[in-house]
Amino acid sequence: METWEFGRMVRRWRDRVTPEAVGVPAGPRRRAAGLRREELAQLAGISADYLTRLEQGRSTAPSAQVVESLTQALRLSDPERDLLFRLAGHTTPGPDVVPSRVTPSVHRLLDRLSYTPVVVYDATWTLVLANAPFDALMGETSSWRGIERNAVWRNLVGPGTRVVHTPREQADHEARLVADLRLTASRYPADRTLRRLVGELRDLSPRFGELWDADTPPPPPDPSKHKVVDHPSVGRITLDCDTLFVVGDDLRISVYTAEPGTEDADRLALAIVLGTQSLVE
């Protein structure tokens, strides 16, 4: 097909996606029913300028990662996803590649949690999807690019998160993340993106190398689901964090909740209101 077909299809599918379907605040002054270009770019984790060039056919070689991000943001069906990969000149990722596909059934689950902070990671602990309440609680994720979206990098190299850990808790958390990533590498030995991630982490973090090469088993799973989040506007919030594993698709879904009727529940609700209001504005 002609190279401009990719951009034309992205534009067509963008026009059919309503803001409500993907958790984007619609705001009071919206004319078109579909997503704005800036909104799709934010959901896909790419710049609006790059999306413009893709839609106009001025950029014609998007990476497989960009294509996958667009399929997620556009809520494409499996046949549509296959078509978009072909239009971009890629084969659809096979079983030897870490999956990052959020299936329609998982999307339906997330839609029912639209007022609850939820984040989805793939098996490398790279962020695939975060809803608006999660961004309101933990800080906006849409500007993260490349390795910045990886939780292992954020904890061992980058700025960390708003979750408060003691030094011991942080060390155990890092060990669990690296151990899980090592298991992922054993399941997907042919995934070049995964090998590149491991190489980058080795170069950037001596601590990662020590954990990766360690002979000792990782710490046991944390018996406490409690997470203390230090929010800049409402202070510290103690939450339950439940991580669900989607076995067939090898995804991790973390859900943050507070016990109803508590001060933490009130603080969480306020943090979400403040954060989502700023997104609308």
Side-chain angles (χ1 to χ4, degrees):
M1 296 202 183
E2 299 290 341
T3 55
W4 52 266
E5 268 301 287
F6 179 90
R8 189 174 73 85
M9 293 305 296
V10 169
R11 174 59 189 269
R12 176 184 296 179
W13 286 327
R14 175 166 65 83
D15 286 342
R16 78 179 184 186
V17 179
T18 63
E20 295 79 11
V22 292
V24 172
R29 298 178 181 178
R30 177 176 292 273
R31 296 178 181 176
L35 290 177
R36 296 176 179 136
R37 187 174 286 144
E38 295 77 9
E39 292 166 342
L40 175 58
Q42 184 176 28
L43 289 170
I46 60 178
S47 71
D49 177 67
Y50 182 46
L51 179 58
T52 300
R53 288 186 278 117
L54 285 174
E55 289 190 348
Q56 294 176 351
R58 293 186 287 118
S59 288
T60 56
S63 68
Q65 290 79 12
V66 167
V67 178
E68 186 64 80
S69 296
L70 287 169
T71 69
Q72 303 286 355
L74 291 166
R75 300 284 185 97
L76 299 187
S77 66
D78 287 342
E80 291 168 341
R81 176 176 180 256
D82 292 344
L83 173 60
L84 197 62
F85 270 94
R86 291 201 304 273
L87 291 176
H90 300 293
T91 57
T92 306
D96 57 341
V97 175
V98 175
S100 57
R101 170 75 162 156
V102 179
T103 61
S105 61
V106 174
H107 272 300
R108 289 193 294 273
L109 171 65
L110 300 180
D111 288 342
R112 285 159 176 75
L113 297 171
S114 58
Y115 297 102
T116 302
V118 179
V119 61
V120 181
Y121 297 97
D122 68 15
T124 69
W125 287 99
T126 296
L127 187 148
V128 176
L129 178 67
N131 66 3
F134 180 85
D135 282 1
L137 175 66
M138 294 293 194
E140 189 174 348
T141 61
S142 62
S143 62
W144 296 356
R145 300 287 183 268
I147 200 172
E148 293 177 339
R149 300 179 69 82
N150 183 264
V152 184
W153 176 86
R154 297 199 78 80
N155 278 273
L156 275 76
V157 181
T161 71
R162 290 179 179 175
V163 177
V164 179
H165 285 135
T166 67
R168 180 71 264 167
E169 290 170 341
Q170 180 65 25
D172 287 349
H173 180 57
E174 293 169 357
R176 293 188 193 98
L177 284 173
V178 175
D180 193 57
L181 183 62
R182 192 167 51 195
L183 289 175
T184 297
S186 71
R187 293 197 302 274
Y188 303 94
D191 191 312
R192 290 177 293 179
T193 301
L194 173 53
R195 291 203 303 268
R196 187 166 58 249
L197 170 64
V198 172
E200 288 184 65
L201 290 170
R202 275 190 175 279
D203 292 340
L204 293 169
S205 172
R207 164 77 170 156
F208 175 83
E210 293 172 4
L211 292 171
W212 187 266
D213 297 331
D215 294 329
T216 57
D222 188 351
S224 172
K225 300 183 300 181
H226 294 312
K227 301 287 185 184
V228 178
V229 177
D230 192 6
H231 191 276
S233 298
V234 303
R236 295 196 172 190
I237 317 171
T238 299
L239 301 171
D240 288 322
C241 176
D242 293 282
T243 298
L244 316 175
F245 289 81
V246 184
V247 178
D249 299 304
D250 217 352
L251 298 173
R252 293 96 169 92
I253 305 176
S254 294
V255 183
Y256 292 80
T257 60
E259 184 178 350
T262 63
E263 291 185 7
D264 290 306
D266 292 340
R267 292 192 187 99
L268 176 60
L270 179 57
I272 292 173
V273 168
L274 293 174
T276 52
Q277 278 182 345
S278 66
L279 291 175
V280 173
E281 294 169 358

